[in-house]
Amino acid sequence: MFLKRIAYLKIVICAIVFLCGFGTSNAQHTNTVTATLDTETKEIRIQQEFVYINNSKETLTYLYFNDWANAYSNKKTPLARKFEEEFKKNIHLAKDHERGHTNLINVVDANFEEIKWKRTPESDLIKFNLNTPLIPSDSIKMVFTYVVKLPSNKFTTFGYSNNKKNNYYLKDWYLTPAVYNGEWQLYSNKDLDDLYTEITNTTINFTLPNSLFVETNSTKEATTKLAKNELQTITIKGTKAKSTELIITSEKRFTKHITPFITLNTDLTSSKYEEALQTVSILKITEFIEQHLGKFPHKELLVSKIDYNKSPLYGINQLPSFIRPYEERFQFELKFLKTALNNYLKETLYLNPRKEKWVIDALVNYLMIVYVEDNYPNQKLLGKLSGIFGFRNYKLAKMDFNDQYALLSMLMARKNLDQSLSTPNDSLLKFNQKISSRYKAGLGLAYLASYIGEESVKESIKTFYAKEKLKEITASNFRGILEQSTEKNINWFFDEYVSTSKRIDFKIKKAEREGDSIRITLKNKSGTNVPISLFGLKNDSIVSNYWFSNITKERTVTIPKNGEDRLVLNYDHKIPEFNQRDNWKSLGGFFSRNKKLKFQFFKDVEDPNYTQVLFAPILTFNAYDGFSPGIRLTNKTFLRKRFIYNWSPSYSFKENTLVGYGKFTYTKDHNKGGLYVSNYSLRASTFHFQTNSRYTKITPSVSFGWRPKNNLISNKRKFLSLRYVNVLRQFNENLGGLKETSDPDYSVLNARFVSVNNGIINHFSWYVDAQHSSDFTKLAVTLEYRKLFESNRQFNVRFFAGKFLRNKITNSDFFSFALDRPTDYLFDYNFLGRSEGSGLYSQQIIIAEGGFKSKLPNAFANDWMATVNTSLNIWRWVEFYSDFGFIKSRRQRQQLVYDSGIRLNLVTDYFELYFPLYSNNGWEVSQPNYEEKIRFVVTLSPKTLLGLFKRKWF
C-alpha cells in the first residue's frame, strides 16, 4: 500500500510539473498535410488537418491563415502591385493558365461543422470565423480541403518550370496560421521571402510520380512506392518549424555532405572547382558557422541554387564567368557561406521577418566579413585585376574585398535614398532591400565590434543563438545580450544607427602640436551622436588609435604625440561615413596639407588623400559637326557628390574647330520626403546648327524636387525649375533663310512645374511651362496618360495646349508653336540635324508641343494651339496612332488638323517608327516619296538608355 501511495504521489508530482511547464511556454500547433501533385494540371490536391492552440491571453473568435499561393491569382494582388512598382509586368500580361490560385473547397471543425470563411481584400489571407470561441490554452481542430493551382515560375521562383524538365519549387504553398501577439500580424506575399507564421510541428504526406526527386528543408522520414500507378508517397516532418519547402526535380542533383558539425544537402557546385576541393571548402564553412553560431537544432540544412539566386553575391562576381577576377575557391566559398548562413538563421531564429529583417542581415553579413578577414585577409575587391597594369593605380583596385560593404551602403545615402534598418521590408527600395540595407546592417556590427571589441560581439552572437533559437523573439532580445557584453554605452547603435537614416559625418577641424601632445578639434557635421575612431599615421603605418563618443557638435581632445605625421578619422572604413574627403589632417606644415592632384582615366571611387580629376574619351555627333571626338574632365566618382563639374571639349572635323559643353552643379539634399532636393547649376554648350553657323548656350538654373513623405517606393515626383537661357549665334552669311529674328542673340526666362507618377501599368504626368523674352511671352500645358488594361491593351493619350500672351515676331515662326517638329530655339532637344528641311535627318521626330507625325502645310501657330495625341496597341509593339487638334495664328482663322498611322513602339521614347496613313494631306500611303514621310524616334545617349534598367532598383 505504501509503495502504491509513493507511486501515486510521483504521478501527481509529474502531472503538476507538466502542467506548470505547459503554462509557462507556448504549446506547438500540429499540422498534418496530405497532398498529391498532378503534373498534368500543375495542381496540388490537399487535405490539411490543423490543431490550433490559443497561446495568447485572449479569447479568439476568428483566426487568420496565410494563403500565399493565391497571390498569383489576379492583377490586383499586393504581389502584382509590387511588380508594377518595380516596372515588371509579367503578372499583368500573364495568361490565365500561367497564374496560380487556391480553390478552397471545404473547411470543417472536429465536429464536422462547417467553418465560415472569407478572403481579405489582399486575396492571400483568409479569415475563419470559429463556431465556438477559443479560450486561452484551448485548441481547435480544423480540416481544410483545397486545391492549389501552381503558377509558372517565370514570375518568382515559386511554381513549376516552363521547360520540359518537370521541376517544381514549393515554398509557402499550404495554409499556415498568421501570428497573433495581441494583434494579428497580417502580411501579404510580395516576393520578399518573409512569410510570418506560427511555430508548428508539421507532418506532410506528399504523393507524386516515381520519376521525380524531392529535397526539403525539413526531414524526410520515409518513402512508400506505389508501383501500380507509378507513384510514391514521401513522409516529411518538421519540428518547431515555420514552413516546409520542397524542391522537386526530374533528375537527382542534390548531394549530401555529412560533416562533424552539420549534415548539408546542396546542389550548389562550381564546374571549375574540383569536387574534392568543394568538399574541403564545405567542411571549412560548416566549422566556421558552428564556431560562430552554435549547433544547428535540425537534422539537415538545405543549401540550394534557388536560395542563392534569391540572394546572390552582388557586385563584380556577377560578371560572366570568363572575366570574373576571383579564384574559384574564394567565389565558391562565399556563395556557399552566404546561402548557408541565410538558411541556418532563417530556419532557427524566429523574428518578425518583415519588421526586423535587419537582425538576420546583420548576422549574415557580419559573419561574411569575419570569414573573409580570417581566411582571405589580402583579398582585393577587384581580385586579380588589382595587379594588372592599367587597373592597379585605381583607388578601387587598392580596396579590400570587405570595403564593398561601406561603398555600396553609402551609394544610396549619397543619392538621399537610404532608409533606416528598422524600415519594414516591404517599404524598402529594391536596391536597399537586396543590397544596401543588408550591407549597412553587417557593417553596423563590424562598427560595433571595433568599438566594444570583436570578442564581445562574437560571444554575444553565440549567446543569442544558443538562448533564442526555435523561439518567437524580437530584436530587443539581441539588444539585451549585446548590452550585457560591454560596460560601454551602446544605445547609439540601436537608437541612431538602426532606427534612423541619419548621416554620420565627422571632420578634423583643427590639429596642433603642444609640447609632447596633440590638441585636436573634432566636429560632428551631421549631429548624429555615434562614436568616431581616430588613427595616427606615420609613413602610412598606424601608430595610434582612439575612440571618441558623445560629440554632438564640436569637441577638443588631447592625445599623446607618438610621432604621427597625419591624423585620419575612420581610417579602417568600419564606419559608413557620408563624406571621408575631410577626414584627414596633416601635421607636417602648411604645404603638406594641400592634397596632390591626381588624374585618373575613366572613373574611380573617391580617394580622400587626393584631389581627383577623372578623364575619359567621348564622341558626339550631329549633321554639321559630324563625329566629334573629345575628352571629358570631371570630378564625378562612383558615389554622388554635392558639387560636380563636367568639362567636355570636342573637335569638330567638319568645321575644324572646338565644340563641346560644360556644367557646374551643386546639389543640396533636404528631407527624405516632401522637399527633398535643390539643384543649382550653370551650363554652357557650343555646337553648330548649320554649316559654319554656331550657337552658344549659357544657362544658369535652379530646381527643386518633392516626393511623398514616408514612401520612397512611390514613383510620384514633383519638380519646379527656373532657368535663364542665353543663346548666342553666329551665321554663315552665304546661307540664306537662317536669320529668323532681327537679333541673332536672345535670352528666355523659363519656368516649369512638373508632376509625374511613373508606372508601368498606369502612367500620368503633366507640366506647365512659361517662357518670357523681349519678343514674346507664352504659356503651355502638357498632360500624358498611359494605361495598360487587363486585356493587355495599352492606350496612350497626350494633350497639349499653348497660348501666346504677347508676340512681337510677325515675319517668322521661329518662336511659334510647332505641330510636328519644334524649331527648338532653346536648343534642348537632341536633333541630329536640327536645321534640315528634307532628307533623313528631317524625319527625326521628338514628341513635343503638337506631337504630330505627318508633315502638314501649316505646321506652326503664333497665337494658340491645342492638340490630342492617342495610340492603341494592335499587337504587341504595333500600335495605331491618331492625332487631332486646332491651330490658330494671328489674322488667320483657326484650323482643324489631324493625322493617323501605325506606330512601331519598339522601346518607348528611345526607338520608335511612325508610318503615316491618313491626314489633312489625304491618303499618304498612296502619295509619291512615301519613304520620306516615315518618322523615327532615336536616342543615342547611353546614360538615357541606362535609365531603363536602373528604374526598378531606385
Side-chain angles (χ1 to χ4, degrees):
M1 179 66 71
F2 177 76
L3 293 176
K4 288 184 177 179
R5 287 180 179 178
I6 292 294
Y8 179 78
L9 183 60
K10 286 182 178 180
I11 293 172
V12 172
I13 292 173
C14 290
I16 292 173
V17 170
F18 174 79
L19 291 174
C20 289
F22 183 83
T24 57
S25 63
N26 287 352
Q28 255 63 68
H29 310 296
T30 303
N31 182 31
T32 303
V33 176
T34 302
T36 301
L37 172 66
D38 188 328
T39 56
E40 294 296 324
T41 61
K42 311 300 183 186
E43 293 179 342
I44 306 175
R45 296 188 295 275
I46 299 173
Q47 185 171 50
Q48 180 177 357
E49 295 183 3
F50 199 97
V51 178
Y52 185 96
I53 301 172
N54 185 359
N55 290 314
S56 74
K57 297 179 181 179
E58 303 171 27
T59 298
L60 302 177
T61 58
Y62 54 86
L63 303 177
Y64 281 98
F65 273 65
N66 304 294
D67 181 18
W68 276 24
N70 203 57
Y72 303 83
S73 59
N74 61 68
K75 305 176 184 183
K76 296 180 179 179
T77 64
L79 179 64
R81 292 198 297 268
K82 182 70 175 177
F83 276 33
E84 180 182 349
E85 290 170 352
E86 296 178 356
F87 294 91
K88 295 191 292 188
K89 55 184 178 181
N90 50 6
I91 284 185
H92 192 88
L93 299 178
K95 300 175 182 177
D96 287 339
H97 73 270
E98 295 177 316
R99 302 183 189 281
H101 63 264
T102 301
N103 179 19
L104 188 53
I105 300 170
N106 190 26
V107 186
V108 298
D109 59 19
N111 298 320
F112 298 100
E113 293 184 7
E114 183 180 0
I115 298 176
K116 293 183 179 180
W117 59 273
K118 67 175 181 179
R119 293 192 179 277
T120 64
E122 293 80 11
S123 298
D124 54 7
L125 291 160
I126 304 176
K127 180 180 180 181
F128 295 97
N129 295 305
L130 304 180
N131 296 323
T132 304
L134 188 62
I135 62 175
S137 300
D138 203 356
S139 65
I140 181 175
K141 180 179 179 180
M142 306 172 69
V143 181
F144 312 98
T145 303
Y146 57 102
V147 177
V148 173
K149 168 65 174 68
L150 296 174
S152 165
N153 67 357
K154 73 178 185 179
F155 312 125
T156 64
T157 53
F158 174 76
Y160 65 89
S161 61
N162 287 317
N163 54 36
K164 297 180 180 179
K165 292 186 177 181
N166 212 16
N167 295 334
Y168 303 83
Y169 176 61
L170 307 183
K171 185 176 178 64
D172 311 327
W173 53 281
Y174 55 82
L175 300 181
T176 59
V179 173
Y180 182 80
N181 51 16
E183 60 180 354
W184 287 102
Q185 305 297 310
L186 305 178
Y187 303 137
S188 289
N189 184 357
K190 296 183 179 181
D191 191 32
L192 298 173
D193 197 24
D194 60 354
L195 176 71
Y196 193 30
T197 184
E198 294 276 10
I199 302 173
T200 307
N201 292 330
T202 298
T203 300
I204 298 176
N205 296 301
F206 198 89
T207 301
L208 72 167
N210 276 329
S211 58
L212 299 180
F213 300 88
V214 177
E215 299 300 337
T216 177
N217 62 334
S218 297
T219 303
K220 287 192 289 186
E221 295 284 336
T223 300
T224 303
K225 299 289 185 179
L226 306 175
K228 290 184 179 181
N229 48 10
E230 298 182 343
L231 296 177
Q232 59 180 327
T233 297
I234 299 176
T235 300
I236 300 166
K237 289 189 176 182
T239 303
K240 287 188 177 182
K242 287 285 187 173
S243 62
T244 299
E245 173 184 338
L246 302 181
I247 300 176
I248 303 172
T249 57
S250 57
E251 54 189 15
K252 187 174 178 58
R253 68 185 192 202
F254 280 78
T255 302
K256 186 171 291 188
H257 294 266
I258 302 174
T259 75
F261 313 101
I262 189 175
T263 298
L264 290 165
N265 210 3
T266 184
D267 63 342
L268 262 182
T269 59
S270 174
S271 60
K272 297 183 179 180
Y273 187 41
E274 292 182 25
E275 188 174 336
L277 295 178
Q278 291 181 40
T279 302
V280 174
S281 291
I282 290 173
L283 179 63
K284 182 171 69 171
I285 290 168
T286 56
E287 182 180 10
F288 173 84
I289 293 176
E290 184 170 301
Q291 176 187 348
H292 289 84
L293 287 175
K295 280 287 185 184
F296 189 63
H298 302 306
K299 289 185 178 180
E300 294 182 4
L301 177 68
L302 185 68
V303 181
S304 68
K305 286 181 182 178
I306 291 175
D307 287 328
Y308 171 74
N309 290 333
K310 287 189 289 187
S311 181
L313 287 169
Y314 289 100
I316 197 169
N317 51 290
Q318 288 189 300
L319 293 170
S321 58
F322 65 90
I323 57 173
R324 285 178 191 164
Y326 302 124
E327 293 182 359
E328 287 298 323
R329 181 181 69 168
F330 175 76
Q331 187 157 294
F332 173 78
E333 288 182 8
L334 265 289
K335 288 173 62 175
F336 201 97
L337 175 66
K338 182 174 186 179
T339 310
L341 280 171
N342 265 315
N343 290 354
Y344 203 98
L345 293 170
K346 287 179 181 178
E347 296 289 346
T348 53
L349 290 182
Y350 299 148
L351 296 120
N352 185 326
R354 185 151 295 183
K355 291 184 177 180
E356 296 180 325
K357 173 179 176 287
W358 72 268
V359 178
I360 301 295
D361 289 342
L363 295 175
V364 169
N365 287 281
Y366 172 69
L367 291 177
M368 290 187 67
I369 291 171
V370 171
Y371 186 85
V372 172
E373 287 177 346
D374 290 349
N375 296 281
Y376 300 94
N378 299 317
Q379 179 66 50
K380 296 298 181 183
L381 180 58
L382 292 187
K384 299 173 185 176
L385 299 178
S386 295
I388 297 178
F389 177 78
F391 286 95
R392 59 187 177 212
N393 291 327
Y394 284 85
K395 174 66 175 177
L396 186 64
K398 298 174 182 178
M399 292 176 65
D400 292 332
F401 183 83
N402 282 343
D403 288 337
Q404 67 176 309
Y405 293 92
L407 179 67
L408 292 177
S409 66
M410 192 50 55
L411 178 66
M412 296 300 274
R414 289 289 186 90
K415 291 177 175 288
N416 198 24
L417 291 173
D418 55 318
Q419 297 168 275
S420 71
L421 296 181
S422 58
T423 302
N425 199 24
D426 61 341
S427 296
L428 290 171
L429 290 167
K430 185 174 181 179
F431 194 90
N432 287 333
Q433 197 268 335
K434 292 288 187 181
I435 305 174
S436 188
S437 292
R438 298 186 184 197
Y439 283 13
K440 181 183 176 183
L443 191 62
L445 275 188
Y447 180 9
L448 187 64
S450 295
Y451 182 59
I452 67 174
E454 288 188 8
E455 289 306 314
S456 295
V457 171
K458 289 178 180 178
E459 285 302 317
S460 294
I461 291 173
K462 290 183 68 174
T463 302
F464 174 60
Y465 188 81
K467 183 179 178 181
E468 308 296 353
K469 61 186 175 184
L470 301 184
K471 296 179 183 177
E472 291 284 3
I473 57 174
T474 66
S476 61
N477 298 77
F478 187 45
R479 177 173 184 166
I481 291 173
L482 280 171
E483 288 176 337
Q484 292 172 10
S485 70
T486 180
E487 294 180 355
K488 294 182 179 180
N489 185 343
I490 60 172
N491 288 337
W492 59 268
F493 178 74
F494 297 94
D495 300 338
E496 298 269 0
Y497 190 89
V498 171
S499 300
T500 75
S501 59
K502 295 178 181 178
R503 294 169 177 172
I504 301 173
D505 198 3
F506 291 84
K507 70 175 290 186
I508 302 176
K509 186 175 181 180
K510 187 187 299 183
E512 298 175 330
R513 290 192 177 96
E514 292 185 353
D516 59 354
S517 302
I518 304 174
R519 186 177 174 84
I520 309 162
T521 301
L522 302 177
K523 181 178 181 180
N524 187 338
K525 296 164 63 178
S526 65
T528 306
N529 191 4
V530 297
I532 185 70
S533 59
L534 175 69
F535 292 81
L537 304 182
K538 182 178 182 179
N539 298 327
D540 293 330
S541 296
I542 299 173
V543 295
S544 59
N545 182 16
Y546 306 91
W547 280 93
F548 301 101
S549 57
N550 294 320
I551 304 174
T552 55
K553 292 184 180 179
E554 285 188 11
R555 181 180 170 189
T556 300
V557 297
T558 301
I559 63 172
K561 187 165 59 176
N562 292 316
E564 295 92 344
D565 57 31
R566 186 168 46 157
L567 299 174
V568 185
L569 296 173
N570 190 22
Y571 181 70
D572 56 358
H573 309 300
K574 289 293 178 66
I575 305 171
E577 201 179 357
F578 187 76
N579 176 22
Q580 297 185 33
R581 295 190 301 276
D582 53 6
N583 273 17
W584 67 280
K585 185 72 71 173
S586 174
L587 299 173
F590 176 78
F591 291 103
S592 64
R593 297 179 187 179
N594 296 324
K595 296 181 181 181
K596 296 179 181 179
L597 193 63
K598 182 180 182 181
F599 287 89
Q600 197 76 58
F601 178 69
F602 193 59
K603 214 166 189 178
D604 200 359
V605 294
E606 290 179 358
D607 191 337
N609 297 322
Y610 292 90
T611 298
Q612 293 168 287
V613 178
L614 307 172
F615 65 94
I618 59 172
L619 185 66
T620 61
F621 174 81
N622 67 56
Y624 317 111
D625 291 309
F627 288 101
S628 303
I631 187 170
R632 179 176 65 243
L633 301 173
T634 182
N635 67 334
K636 186 177 181 181
T637 56
F638 284 115
L639 298 182
R640 193 188 74 164
K641 296 180 178 179
R642 287 184 176 178
F643 176 73
I644 295 290
Y645 66 82
N646 184 351
W647 179 248
S648 303
S650 301
Y651 187 78
S652 169
F653 281 103
K654 274 195 172 183
E655 294 288 341
N656 295 318
T657 186
L658 287 176
V659 294
Y661 60 91
K663 65 178 179 179
F664 301 92
T665 303
Y666 179 78
T667 301
K668 174 67 175 176
D669 292 324
H670 302 292
N671 304 313
K672 286 291 189 294
L675 176 63
Y676 74 97
V677 69
S678 301
N679 290 293
Y680 308 88
S681 69
L682 176 63
R683 301 167 183 260
S685 61
T686 179
F687 291 97
H688 291 85
F689 63 94
Q690 182 55 282
T691 304
N692 200 24
S693 299
R694 176 190 290 269
Y695 77 86
T696 300
K697 175 182 173 183
I698 303 172
T699 309
S701 66
V702 58
S703 65
F704 307 92
W706 290 265
R707 62 188 176 207
K709 292 184 178 180
N710 304 319
N711 186 9
L712 292 188
I713 292 179
S714 172
N715 293 314
K716 294 180 180 179
R717 297 289 185 272
K718 293 180 180 179
F719 302 96
L720 174 63
S721 64
L722 184 66
R723 60 177 180 163
Y724 190 57
V725 183
N726 301 277
V727 178
L728 312 174
R729 296 185 295 170
Q730 298 173 348
F731 290 97
N732 181 351
E733 298 296 336
N734 296 323
L735 296 173
L738 288 178
K739 296 185 179 181
E740 305 92 342
T741 60
S742 57
D743 188 344
D745 304 334
Y746 53 88
S747 300
V748 178
L749 179 64
N750 179 211
R752 175 175 289 192
F753 181 80
V754 179
S755 177
V756 59
N757 185 4
N758 186 20
I760 199 166
I761 308 301
N762 291 283
H763 170 96
F764 179 70
S765 65
W766 61 271
Y767 65 85
V768 177
D769 186 89
Q771 298 179 19
H772 173 77
S773 76
S774 59
D775 290 326
F776 68 89
T777 302
K778 62 198 277 190
L779 186 68
V781 60
T782 302
L783 294 90
E784 293 187 48
Y785 177 70
R786 180 171 65 244
K787 173 69 175 180
L788 183 62
F789 293 99
E790 293 190 17
S791 62
N792 297 336
R793 296 284 185 188
Q794 180 167 291
F795 176 70
N796 304 269
V797 61
R798 176 181 177 272
F799 170 76
F800 171 82
K803 169 66 178 174
F804 276 92
L805 304 181
R806 50 183 281 274
N807 189 358
K808 293 183 179 180
I809 304 297
T810 58
N811 59 350
S812 169
D813 281 317
F814 187 60
F815 296 118
S816 297
F817 296 115
L819 264 184
D820 70 291
R821 185 176 166 93
T823 57
D824 192 25
Y825 53 87
L826 295 181
F827 294 93
D828 287 337
Y829 306 130
N830 292 320
F831 281 119
L832 301 178
R834 62 179 61 253
S835 299
E836 300 303 295
S838 61
L840 180 64
Y841 292 132
S842 71
Q843 294 175 238
Q844 181 188 3
I845 184 174
I846 292 176
I847 306 300
E849 297 186 1
F852 270 53
K853 291 77 184 179
S854 293
K855 298 180 180 180
L856 303 184
N858 296 323
F860 297 95
N862 59 19
D863 188 359
W864 61 266
M865 174 184 290
T867 61
V868 174
N869 317 120
T870 64
S871 66
L872 179 69
N873 70 310
I874 303 171
W875 176 81
R876 293 188 179 180
W877 34 264
V878 180
E879 301 178 4
F880 174 79
Y881 74 81
S882 176
D883 308 316
F884 68 93
F886 294 90
I887 61 174
K888 171 70 168 65
S889 292
R890 287 175 298 173
R891 293 183 293 276
Q892 295 182 15
R893 297 181 61 181
Q894 68 183 37
Q895 180 182 354
L896 172 66
V897 288
Y898 54 89
D899 71 358
S900 61
I902 298 297
R903 173 193 187 191
L904 301 186
N905 186 10
L906 302 175
V907 184
T908 304
D909 298 330
Y910 297 94
F911 185 53
E912 306 173 16
L913 294 173
Y914 293 88
F915 297 86
L917 295 178
Y918 187 76
S919 68
N920 291 81
N921 297 325
W923 285 103
E924 300 203 37
V925 180
S926 61
Q927 296 174 5
N929 303 319
Y930 178 75
E931 67 278 2
E932 297 179 4
K933 298 176 181 290
I934 299 171
R935 311 298 293 272
F936 66 88
V937 170
V938 63
T939 299
L940 301 179
S941 168
K943 180 179 178 181
T944 305
L945 291 171
L946 186 61
L948 280 173
F949 305 98
K950 293 198 309 182
R951 60 185 183 178
K952 68 178 182 180
W953 288 91
F954 304 106

